[in-house]
CSV table of all heavy atoms in Angstrom, one decimal:
chain,number,residue,atom,x,y,z
M,14,LYS,N,125.3,44.9,16.3
M,14,LYS,CA,124.5,45.4,17.3
M,14,LYS,C,124.6,44.3,18.5
M,14,LYS,O,124.6,43.1,18.1
M,14,LYS,CB,123.0,45.4,16.8
M,14,LYS,CG,122.2,45.9,18.0
M,14,LYS,CD,120.8,46.1,17.4
M,14,LYS,CE,119.7,46.4,18.5
M,14,LYS,NZ,118.5,46.6,18.2
M,15,PHE,N,124.7,44.7,19.7
M,15,PHE,CA,124.7,43.9,20.8
M,15,PHE,C,123.2,43.7,21.3
M,15,PHE,O,122.5,44.8,21.3
M,15,PHE,CB,125.6,44.4,21.9
M,15,PHE,CG,127.1,44.4,21.6
M,15,PHE,CD1,127.8,45.5,21.5
M,15,PHE,CD2,127.7,43.2,21.5
M,15,PHE,CE1,129.1,45.5,21.2
M,15,PHE,CE2,129.1,43.1,21.3
M,15,PHE,CZ,129.7,44.2,21.1
M,16,ILE,N,123.0,42.6,21.7
M,16,ILE,CA,121.8,42.4,22.7
M,16,ILE,C,122.1,41.7,24.0
M,16,ILE,O,123.0,41.0,24.1
M,16,ILE,CB,120.6,41.6,21.9
M,16,ILE,CG1,121.1,40.2,21.5
M,16,ILE,CG2,120.1,42.3,20.7
M,16,ILE,CD1,119.9,39.3,21.1
M,17,TYR,N,121.3,42.1,25.0
M,17,TYR,CA,121.8,41.8,26.4
M,17,TYR,C,120.7,40.8,27.0
M,17,TYR,O,120.6,40.5,28.1
M,17,TYR,CB,121.8,43.0,27.2
M,17,TYR,CG,122.8,44.0,26.6
M,17,TYR,CD1,122.3,45.1,26.0
M,17,TYR,CD2,124.1,43.8,26.8
M,17,TYR,CE1,123.2,46.0,25.5
M,17,TYR,CE2,125.0,44.7,26.1
M,17,TYR,CZ,124.5,45.9,25.5
M,17,TYR,OH,125.4,46.8,25.0
M,18,LYS,N,119.9,40.1,26.0
M,18,LYS,CA,119.0,39.2,26.5
M,18,LYS,C,119.5,38.1,27.4
M,18,LYS,O,118.9,37.7,28.4
M,18,LYS,CB,118.3,38.5,25.3
M,18,LYS,CG,117.1,37.6,25.6
M,18,LYS,CD,116.4,37.2,24.3
M,18,LYS,CE,115.3,36.1,24.6
M,18,LYS,NZ,114.6,35.6,23.4
M,19,PRO,N,120.7,37.5,27.0
M,19,PRO,CA,121.2,36.5,27.8
M,19,PRO,C,121.4,37.0,29.4
M,19,PRO,O,121.2,36.3,30.3
M,19,PRO,CB,122.6,36.2,27.2
M,19,PRO,CG,122.3,36.5,25.8
M,19,PRO,CD,121.5,37.8,25.7
M,20,ALA,N,121.9,38.3,29.5
M,20,ALA,CA,122.0,38.8,30.9
M,20,ALA,C,120.7,38.9,31.7
M,20,ALA,O,120.6,38.6,32.8
M,20,ALA,CB,122.7,40.2,30.7
M,21,LEU,N,119.7,39.4,30.9
M,21,LEU,CA,118.5,39.4,31.5
M,21,LEU,C,117.8,38.0,31.9
M,21,LEU,O,117.2,37.8,33.0
M,21,LEU,CB,117.4,40.2,30.6
M,21,LEU,CG,118.0,41.6,30.3
M,21,LEU,CD1,117.1,42.2,29.2
M,21,LEU,CD2,118.0,42.4,31.6
M,22,GLU,N,118.1,37.1,30.9
M,22,GLU,CA,117.7,35.7,31.2
M,22,GLU,C,118.5,35.1,32.4
M,22,GLU,O,118.0,34.3,33.2
M,22,GLU,CB,117.9,34.8,29.9
M,22,GLU,CG,116.9,35.2,28.9
M,22,GLU,CD,117.2,34.5,27.6
M,22,GLU,OE1,118.2,33.8,27.5
M,22,GLU,OE2,116.2,34.4,26.6
M,23,ALA,N,119.7,35.5,32.5
M,23,ALA,CA,120.4,34.8,33.6
M,23,ALA,C,120.1,35.4,34.9
M,23,ALA,O,120.0,34.7,35.9
M,23,ALA,CB,122.0,35.3,33.4
M,24,SER,N,119.6,36.7,35.0
M,24,SER,CA,119.1,37.3,36.2
M,24,SER,C,117.7,36.5,36.6
M,24,SER,O,117.5,36.2,37.7
M,24,SER,CB,118.8,38.7,36.1
M,24,SER,OG,117.8,39.0,35.2
M,25,ILE,N,117.0,36.2,35.5
M,25,ILE,CA,115.8,35.4,35.8
M,25,ILE,C,115.9,33.9,36.3
M,25,ILE,O,115.4,33.6,37.3
M,25,ILE,CB,114.8,35.5,34.6
M,25,ILE,CG1,114.3,36.8,34.2
M,25,ILE,CG2,113.5,34.4,34.8
M,25,ILE,CD1,113.6,37.0,32.9
M,26,ASP,N,117.0,33.4,35.8
M,26,ASP,CA,117.3,32.1,36.1
M,26,ASP,C,117.8,32.0,37.5
M,26,ASP,O,117.7,31.0,38.3
M,26,ASP,CB,118.4,31.5,35.2
M,26,ASP,CG,118.0,31.1,33.8
M,26,ASP,OD1,116.8,31.1,33.5
M,26,ASP,OD2,118.8,31.1,32.9
M,27,ARG,N,118.3,33.1,38.1
M,27,ARG,CA,118.8,33.2,39.4
M,27,ARG,C,117.8,33.8,40.3
M,27,ARG,O,117.9,33.9,41.5
M,27,ARG,CB,120.1,34.2,39.5
M,27,ARG,CG,121.2,33.6,38.8
M,27,ARG,CD,122.4,34.6,38.6
M,27,ARG,NE,123.6,33.9,38.4
M,27,ARG,CZ,124.0,33.6,37.1
M,27,ARG,NH1,123.1,33.7,36.1
M,27,ARG,NH2,125.1,33.1,36.8
M,28,GLY,N,116.6,33.9,39.8
M,28,GLY,CA,115.4,34.3,40.6
M,28,GLY,C,115.4,35.7,41.0
M,28,GLY,O,114.8,36.1,42.0
M,29,LEU,N,116.1,36.6,40.2
M,29,LEU,CA,116.2,38.1,40.6
M,29,LEU,C,115.3,38.8,39.8
M,29,LEU,O,115.0,38.6,38.6
M,29,LEU,CB,117.6,38.5,40.3
M,29,LEU,CG,118.9,37.9,40.8
M,29,LEU,CD1,120.1,38.3,40.2
M,29,LEU,CD2,118.8,38.1,42.4
M,30,ASN,N,114.6,39.8,40.4
M,30,ASN,CA,113.8,40.7,39.8
M,30,ASN,C,114.6,41.9,39.4
M,30,ASN,O,115.8,41.9,39.8
M,30,ASN,CB,112.5,41.1,40.7
M,30,ASN,CG,113.0,41.9,41.9
M,30,ASN,OD1,113.9,42.6,42.0
M,30,ASN,ND2,112.1,41.6,43.0
M,31,LYS,N,114.1,42.8,38.7
M,31,LYS,CA,114.8,44.0,38.2
M,31,LYS,C,115.5,44.8,39.4
M,31,LYS,O,116.7,45.2,39.2
M,31,LYS,CB,114.0,44.9,37.3
M,31,LYS,CG,113.6,44.2,36.0
M,31,LYS,CD,112.9,45.0,35.1
M,31,LYS,CE,112.4,44.4,33.9
M,31,LYS,NZ,111.7,45.2,33.0
M,32,ALA,N,114.8,44.9,40.4
M,32,ALA,CA,115.4,45.7,41.6
M,32,ALA,C,116.5,45.0,42.1
M,32,ALA,O,117.6,45.7,42.5
M,32,ALA,CB,114.3,46.1,42.6
M,33,GLN,N,116.4,43.7,42.3
M,33,GLN,CA,117.6,42.9,42.8
M,33,GLN,C,118.7,43.0,42.0
M,33,GLN,O,119.9,43.1,42.4
M,33,GLN,CB,117.0,41.6,43.2
M,33,GLN,CG,116.0,41.5,44.2
M,33,GLN,CD,115.4,40.0,44.3
M,33,GLN,OE1,115.1,39.5,43.3
M,33,GLN,NE2,115.1,39.7,45.5
M,34,LEU,N,118.6,42.9,40.6
M,34,LEU,CA,119.7,42.9,39.7
M,34,LEU,C,120.3,44.2,39.7
M,34,LEU,O,121.5,44.4,39.8
M,34,LEU,CB,119.1,42.7,38.3
M,34,LEU,CG,120.1,42.8,37.2
M,34,LEU,CD1,121.3,41.9,37.2
M,34,LEU,CD2,119.4,42.9,35.8
M,35,ARG,N,119.5,45.4,39.8
M,35,ARG,CA,120.2,46.8,39.9
M,35,ARG,C,121.0,46.8,41.1
M,35,ARG,O,122.0,47.3,41.1
M,35,ARG,CB,119.0,47.7,40.0
M,35,ARG,CG,118.4,48.0,38.7
M,35,ARG,CD,117.4,49.2,38.6
M,35,ARG,NE,118.0,50.3,39.5
M,35,ARG,CZ,117.4,50.9,40.4
M,35,ARG,NH1,116.2,50.5,40.8
M,35,ARG,NH2,117.9,52.0,40.9
M,36,LYS,N,120.5,46.3,42.3
M,36,LYS,CA,121.1,46.4,43.6
M,36,LYS,C,122.5,45.6,43.5
M,36,LYS,O,123.6,45.9,44.0
M,36,LYS,CB,120.2,45.9,44.8
M,36,LYS,CG,121.0,46.1,46.2
M,36,LYS,CD,119.9,45.8,47.2
M,36,LYS,CE,120.7,45.9,48.6
M,36,LYS,NZ,119.9,45.6,49.7
M,37,MET,N,122.4,44.3,43.1
M,37,MET,CA,123.4,43.3,43.0
M,37,MET,C,124.6,43.9,42.1
M,37,MET,O,125.7,43.6,42.4
M,37,MET,CB,122.9,42.0,42.4
M,37,MET,CG,123.9,40.9,42.3
M,37,MET,SD,123.1,39.5,41.8
M,37,MET,CE,124.3,38.2,42.1
M,38,THR,N,124.2,44.5,41.1
M,38,THR,CA,125.2,45.1,40.0
M,38,THR,C,125.6,46.6,40.2
M,38,THR,O,126.6,47.0,39.5
M,38,THR,CB,124.8,44.7,38.7
M,38,THR,OG1,123.5,45.5,38.4
M,38,THR,CG2,124.7,43.3,38.3
M,39,ASP,N,124.8,47.2,41.0
M,39,ASP,CA,124.9,48.7,41.3
M,39,ASP,C,124.9,49.4,40.0
M,39,ASP,O,125.8,50.2,39.7
M,39,ASP,CB,126.4,48.8,41.9
M,39,ASP,CG,126.4,50.5,42.5
M,39,ASP,OD1,125.4,51.0,42.8
M,39,ASP,OD2,127.6,51.0,42.5
M,40,ILE,N,123.8,49.2,39.2
M,40,ILE,CA,123.5,49.8,38.0
M,40,ILE,C,122.2,50.7,38.3
M,40,ILE,O,121.4,50.3,39.1
M,40,ILE,CB,123.4,49.0,36.8
M,40,ILE,CG1,122.3,48.0,36.9
M,40,ILE,CG2,124.7,48.3,36.5
M,40,ILE,CD1,122.0,47.1,35.6
M,41,SER,N,122.1,51.7,37.4
M,41,SER,CA,120.9,52.6,37.6
M,41,SER,C,119.7,52.1,36.8
M,41,SER,O,119.9,51.1,35.9
M,41,SER,CB,121.2,54.0,37.0
M,41,SER,OG,121.5,54.0,35.6
M,42,SER,N,118.5,52.6,37.1
M,42,SER,CA,117.4,52.2,36.4
M,42,SER,C,117.6,52.6,34.9
M,42,SER,O,117.0,51.8,34.1
M,42,SER,CB,116.1,52.7,37.0
M,42,SER,OG,116.2,54.2,37.1
M,43,ALA,N,118.2,53.7,34.8
M,43,ALA,CA,118.3,54.1,33.2
M,43,ALA,C,119.2,53.1,32.4
M,43,ALA,O,119.0,52.8,31.3
M,43,ALA,CB,118.9,55.6,33.2
M,44,THR,N,120.1,52.6,33.1
M,44,THR,CA,121.1,51.6,32.5
M,44,THR,C,120.3,50.3,32.3
M,44,THR,O,120.4,49.6,31.1
M,44,THR,CB,122.5,51.5,33.4
M,44,THR,OG1,123.1,52.7,33.5
M,44,THR,CG2,123.2,50.4,32.7
M,45,LEU,N,119.5,50.0,33.2
M,45,LEU,CA,118.7,48.7,33.1
M,45,LEU,C,117.8,48.8,31.9
M,45,LEU,O,117.6,47.9,31.1
M,45,LEU,CB,118.0,48.3,34.4
M,45,LEU,CG,117.3,47.1,34.4
M,45,LEU,CD1,118.2,45.9,34.1
M,45,LEU,CD2,116.5,46.9,35.8
M,46,SER,N,117.2,50.0,31.8
M,46,SER,CA,116.4,50.3,30.7
M,46,SER,C,117.2,50.2,29.3
M,46,SER,O,116.7,49.5,28.3
M,46,SER,CB,115.8,51.7,30.8
M,46,SER,OG,114.9,51.9,29.7
M,47,LYS,N,118.3,50.7,29.3
M,47,LYS,CA,119.3,50.5,28.1
M,47,LYS,C,119.5,49.1,27.7
M,47,LYS,O,119.4,48.5,26.6
M,47,LYS,CB,120.5,51.2,28.2
M,47,LYS,CG,120.3,52.8,28.2
M,47,LYS,CD,121.8,53.4,28.4
M,47,LYS,CE,121.8,54.8,28.2
M,47,LYS,NZ,123.0,55.4,28.2
M,48,LEU,N,119.6,48.2,28.8
M,48,LEU,CA,119.8,46.8,28.6
M,48,LEU,C,118.6,46.2,28.0
M,48,LEU,O,118.7,45.4,27.1
M,48,LEU,CB,120.4,46.1,29.9
M,48,LEU,CG,121.7,46.4,30.5
M,48,LEU,CD1,121.8,45.8,31.9
M,48,LEU,CD2,122.8,45.8,29.6
M,49,ASN,N,117.4,46.6,28.6
M,49,ASN,CA,116.3,46.0,28.1
M,49,ASN,C,116.0,46.3,26.6
M,49,ASN,O,115.4,45.6,25.8
M,49,ASN,CB,115.1,46.4,28.9
M,49,ASN,CG,115.0,45.8,30.2
M,49,ASN,OD1,115.1,44.5,30.2
M,49,ASN,ND2,114.7,46.4,31.2
M,50,LYS,N,116.5,47.5,26.2
M,50,LYS,CA,116.1,48.1,25.0
M,50,LYS,C,117.2,47.6,23.9
M,50,LYS,O,117.2,48.0,22.7
M,50,LYS,CB,116.0,49.6,24.9
M,50,LYS,CG,114.7,50.1,25.6
M,50,LYS,CD,114.8,51.6,25.7
M,50,LYS,CE,113.6,52.1,26.5
M,50,LYS,NZ,113.8,53.6,26.7
M,51,GLY,N,118.3,47.1,24.3
M,51,GLY,CA,119.4,46.8,23.5
M,51,GLY,C,120.3,47.9,23.1
M,51,GLY,O,121.0,47.9,22.2
M,52,GLU,N,120.3,48.9,23.9
M,52,GLU,CA,121.0,50.2,23.6
M,52,GLU,C,122.5,50.0,24.2
M,52,GLU,O,122.8,49.1,25.0
M,52,GLU,CB,120.4,51.3,24.2
M,52,GLU,CG,118.9,51.8,23.6
M,52,GLU,CD,118.3,52.9,24.2
M,52,GLU,OE1,118.8,53.4,25.3
M,52,GLU,OE2,117.2,53.2,23.8
M,53,ASN,N,123.4,51.0,23.8
M,53,ASN,CA,124.8,50.8,24.2
M,53,ASN,C,124.8,51.0,25.8
M,53,ASN,O,124.3,51.9,26.3
M,53,ASN,CB,125.6,51.9,23.5
M,53,ASN,CG,125.7,51.4,22.0
M,53,ASN,OD1,125.7,50.2,21.7
M,53,ASN,ND2,125.9,52.3,21.2
M,54,VAL,N,125.6,50.3,26.5
M,54,VAL,CA,126.0,50.4,27.7
M,54,VAL,C,127.6,50.3,27.9
M,54,VAL,O,128.3,49.7,26.9
M,54,VAL,CB,125.4,49.4,28.7
M,54,VAL,CG1,123.9,49.6,28.7
M,54,VAL,CG2,125.9,48.0,28.4
M,55,THR,N,128.2,50.8,28.9
M,55,THR,CA,129.6,50.7,29.0
M,55,THR,C,130.2,49.4,29.3
M,55,THR,O,129.4,48.6,29.8
M,55,THR,CB,130.2,51.9,30.0
M,55,THR,OG1,129.6,51.3,31.4
M,55,THR,CG2,129.7,53.2,29.8
M,56,THR,N,131.5,49.2,29.0
M,56,THR,CA,132.1,47.8,29.4
M,56,THR,C,132.2,47.7,30.9
M,56,THR,O,132.1,46.6,31.4
M,56,THR,CB,133.5,47.7,28.7
M,56,THR,OG1,134.3,48.9,29.1
M,56,THR,CG2,133.3,47.7,27.2
M,57,ASP,N,132.1,48.8,31.5
M,57,ASP,CA,132.2,48.8,33.1
M,57,ASP,C,130.9,48.2,33.5
M,57,ASP,O,130.9,47.3,34.5
M,57,ASP,CB,132.3,50.1,33.8
M,57,ASP,CG,132.3,50.3,35.2
M,57,ASP,OD1,133.1,49.5,35.8
M,57,ASP,OD2,131.4,51.0,35.7
M,58,ILE,N,129.8,48.5,33.0
M,58,ILE,CA,128.5,47.9,33.4
M,58,ILE,C,128.4,46.5,33.0
M,58,ILE,O,128.1,45.6,33.9
M,58,ILE,CB,127.3,48.6,32.6
M,58,ILE,CG1,127.3,50.0,32.9
M,58,ILE,CG2,125.9,47.8,32.9
M,58,ILE,CD1,127.0,50.2,34.5
M,59,LEU,N,129.0,46.0,31.9
M,59,LEU,CA,129.0,44.7,31.5
M,59,LEU,C,129.9,43.8,32.5
M,59,LEU,O,129.7,42.7,32.9
M,59,LEU,CB,129.5,44.4,30.1
M,59,LEU,CG,128.5,45.1,29.0
M,59,LEU,CD1,129.2,45.0,27.7
M,59,LEU,CD2,127.1,44.5,29.1
M,60,LEU,N,131.1,44.5,32.8
M,60,LEU,CA,132.0,43.8,33.8
M,60,LEU,C,131.3,43.5,35.2
M,60,LEU,O,131.4,42.6,35.7
M,60,LEU,CB,133.2,44.6,34.0
M,60,LEU,CG,134.2,44.1,35.0
M,60,LEU,CD1,134.7,42.8,34.5
M,60,LEU,CD2,135.4,45.1,35.1
M,61,ARG,N,130.5,44.6,35.7
M,61,ARG,CA,129.8,44.4,36.9
M,61,ARG,C,128.8,43.3,36.8
M,61,ARG,O,128.7,42.5,37.9
M,61,ARG,CB,128.9,45.7,37.2
M,61,ARG,CG,129.9,46.9,37.7
M,61,ARG,CD,128.9,48.0,38.1
M,61,ARG,NE,129.5,49.3,37.7
M,61,ARG,CZ,128.9,50.4,37.8
M,61,ARG,NH1,127.6,50.5,38.3
M,61,ARG,NH2,129.5,51.5,37.6
M,62,ILE,N,128.0,43.2,35.7
M,62,ILE,CA,127.2,42.0,35.6
M,62,ILE,C,128.0,40.7,35.5
M,62,ILE,O,127.6,39.7,36.3
M,62,ILE,CB,126.3,42.3,34.3
M,62,ILE,CG1,125.5,43.3,34.4
M,62,ILE,CG2,125.5,40.9,34.1
M,62,ILE,CD1,124.7,43.8,33.2
M,63,CYS,N,129.1,40.7,34.8
M,63,CYS,CA,129.9,39.4,34.8
M,63,CYS,C,130.5,39.1,36.1
M,63,CYS,O,130.4,37.7,36.5
M,63,CYS,CB,131.1,39.5,33.8
M,63,CYS,SG,130.7,39.6,32.1
M,64,GLU,N,130.8,40.0,37.0
M,64,GLU,CA,131.4,39.7,38.2
M,64,GLU,C,130.3,39.2,39.3
M,64,GLU,O,130.3,38.3,39.9
M,64,GLU,CB,132.1,40.9,38.8
M,64,GLU,CG,133.3,41.2,38.1
M,64,GLU,CD,134.0,42.5,38.6
M,64,GLU,OE1,133.3,43.4,39.2
M,64,GLU,OE2,135.2,42.8,38.3
M,65,ALA,N,129.1,39.9,39.1
M,65,ALA,CA,128.0,39.4,40.0
M,65,ALA,C,127.5,38.1,39.7
M,65,ALA,O,127.1,37.3,40.5
M,65,ALA,CB,126.7,40.5,39.9
M,66,PHE,N,127.4,37.7,38.4
M,66,PHE,CA,127.0,36.4,38.0
M,66,PHE,C,128.2,35.4,37.8
M,66,PHE,O,128.0,34.2,37.5
M,66,PHE,CB,126.4,36.4,36.6
M,66,PHE,CG,125.1,37.2,36.7
M,66,PHE,CD1,124.4,37.6,35.5
M,66,PHE,CD2,124.4,37.5,37.9
M,66,PHE,CE1,123.2,38.2,35.5
M,66,PHE,CE2,123.1,38.1,37.9
M,66,PHE,CZ,122.5,38.4,36.8
M,67,ASP,N,129.4,35.8,38.0
M,67,ASP,CA,130.6,35.0,37.9
M,67,ASP,C,130.6,34.2,36.6
M,67,ASP,O,130.5,33.0,36.4
M,67,ASP,CB,130.7,33.9,39.0
M,67,ASP,CG,131.9,33.1,39.1
M,67,ASP,OD1,132.9,33.7,38.7
M,67,ASP,OD2,131.9,32.0,39.5
M,68,CYS,N,130.5,35.1,35.5
M,68,CYS,CA,130.5,34.6,34.2
M,68,CYS,C,131.4,35.3,33.3
M,68,CYS,O,131.9,36.3,33.6
M,68,CYS,CB,129.0,34.5,33.7
M,68,CYS,SG,128.3,36.3,33.4
M,69,ASP,N,131.4,34.9,31.9
M,69,ASP,CA,132.2,35.7,30.9
M,69,ASP,C,131.2,36.5,30.1
M,69,ASP,O,130.0,36.3,30.1
M,69,ASP,CB,132.8,34.7,30.0
M,69,ASP,CG,133.9,33.9,30.6
M,69,ASP,OD1,134.6,34.4,31.5
M,69,ASP,OD2,134.0,32.6,30.3
M,70,LEU,N,131.8,37.4,29.5
M,70,LEU,CA,131.1,38.4,28.6
M,70,LEU,C,130.1,37.7,27.6
M,70,LEU,O,129.1,38.0,27.4
M,70,LEU,CB,132.0,39.4,27.9
M,70,LEU,CG,131.3,40.6,27.1
M,70,LEU,CD1,130.5,41.4,28.0
M,70,LEU,CD2,132.4,41.4,26.4
M,71,SER,N,130.7,36.5,27.1
M,71,SER,CA,130.0,35.8,26.1
M,71,SER,C,128.7,35.2,26.6
M,71,SER,O,127.8,34.8,25.9
M,71,SER,CB,130.9,34.8,25.4
M,71,SER,OG,131.2,33.9,26.4
M,72,ASP,N,128.7,35.1,27.9
M,72,ASP,CA,127.4,34.5,28.6
M,72,ASP,C,126.3,35.7,28.8
M,72,ASP,O,125.1,35.1,28.9
M,72,ASP,CB,127.8,34.1,30.0
M,72,ASP,CG,128.9,33.0,30.0
M,72,ASP,OD1,128.8,32.1,29.0
M,72,ASP,OD2,129.6,32.9,30.9
M,73,ILE,N,126.7,36.7,28.7
M,73,ILE,CA,125.5,37.9,28.8
M,73,ILE,C,125.3,38.8,27.6
M,73,ILE,O,124.4,39.6,27.7
M,73,ILE,CB,125.9,38.7,30.1
M,73,ILE,CG1,127.2,39.4,29.8
M,73,ILE,CG2,126.0,37.9,31.4
M,73,ILE,CD1,127.4,40.7,30.8
M,74,VAL,N,126.1,38.6,26.7
M,74,VAL,CA,125.9,39.4,25.5
M,74,VAL,C,125.9,38.5,24.1
M,74,VAL,O,126.7,37.7,24.0
M,74,VAL,CB,127.1,40.5,25.3
M,74,VAL,CG1,127.0,41.3,24.0
M,74,VAL,CG2,127.1,41.5,26.6
M,75,GLU,N,125.0,39.0,23.3
M,75,GLU,CA,125.1,38.3,22.0
M,75,GLU,C,125.2,39.4,20.9
M,75,GLU,O,124.8,40.4,21.0
M,75,GLU,CB,123.6,37.8,21.6
M,75,GLU,CG,123.3,36.5,22.3
M,75,GLU,CD,122.0,35.9,22.0
M,75,GLU,OE1,121.6,36.1,20.9
M,75,GLU,OE2,121.4,35.2,22.8
M,76,ILE,N,125.9,39.1,19.8
M,76,ILE,CA,126.0,40.0,18.7
M,76,ILE,C,125.1,39.6,17.6
M,76,ILE,O,125.1,38.4,17.2
M,76,ILE,CB,127.5,39.9,18.1
M,76,ILE,CG1,128.6,40.3,19.1
M,76,ILE,CG2,127.7,40.7,16.7
M,76,ILE,CD1,130.0,40.0,18.6
M,77,VAL,N,124.3,40.6,17.2
M,77,VAL,CA,123.4,40.3,16.1
M,77,VAL,C,123.8,41.1,14.8
M,77,VAL,O,124.0,42.4,14.9
M,77,VAL,CB,122.0,40.9,16.5
M,77,VAL,CG1,121.0,40.8,15.4
M,77,VAL,CG2,121.5,40.1,17.8
M,78,ARG,N,124.1,40.5,13.9
M,78,ARG,CA,124.6,41.0,12.6
M,78,ARG,C,123.3,41.4,11.7
M,78,ARG,O,122.4,40.6,11.6
M,78,ARG,CB,125.5,40.1,11.9
M,78,ARG,CG,126.8,40.0,12.7
M,78,ARG,CD,127.7,39.0,11.9
M,78,ARG,NE,129.0,39.0,12.5
M,78,ARG,CZ,129.4,38.5,13.6
M,78,ARG,NH1,128.5,37.9,14.5
M,78,ARG,NH2,130.6,38.5,14.1
M,79,ASP,N,123.4,42.5,11.1
M,79,ASP,CA,122.2,42.9,10.2
M,79,ASP,C,122.2,42.1,9.1
M,79,ASP,O,123.0,41.6,8.3
M,79,ASP,CB,122.4,44.5,9.8
M,79,ASP,CG,122.3,45.4,11.0
M,79,ASP,OD1,121.5,45.0,12.0
M,79,ASP,OD2,122.9,46.4,10.9
């Protein structure tokens, strides 16, 4: 399972609220909700976040093994 806590923490570290994160990455509120819940999102969304934050995928996603 993937969790996106690092992505959300990165946005907080940059002083972004959820609306600013959505605007910066051009993601919907439904997608942001999925990130918050740890649900599946497309790689396109993850790429947008990486590009906005100038980071790698490993900086915004963690793998949690059962």
Side-chain angles (χ1 to χ4, degrees):
K14 177 179 178 178
F15 290 116
I16 59 170
Y17 309 103
K18 186 177 177 183
L21 301 172
E22 289 174 348
S24 67
I25 292 169
D26 291 345
R27 288 170 171 78
L29 300 172
N30 63 33
K31 290 179 182 180
Q33 292 168 320
L34 174 63
R35 286 185 47 235
K36 184 176 180 180
M37 183 179 190
T38 57
D39 193 31
I40 60 176
S41 69
S42 57
T44 300
L45 184 57
S46 179
K47 286 182 178 185
L48 288 169
N49 281 316
K50 294 176 185 176
E52 295 177 358
N53 291 333
V54 296
T55 66
T56 53
D57 179 56
I58 297 300
L59 299 176
L60 179 61
R61 288 186 212 172
I62 296 169
C63 287
E64 289 175 341
F66 291 166
D67 190 29
C68 66
D69 293 323
L70 185 60
S71 62
D72 296 326
I73 63 165
V74 177
E75 283 183 30
I76 297 173
V77 177
R78 292 178 171 72
D79 292 332

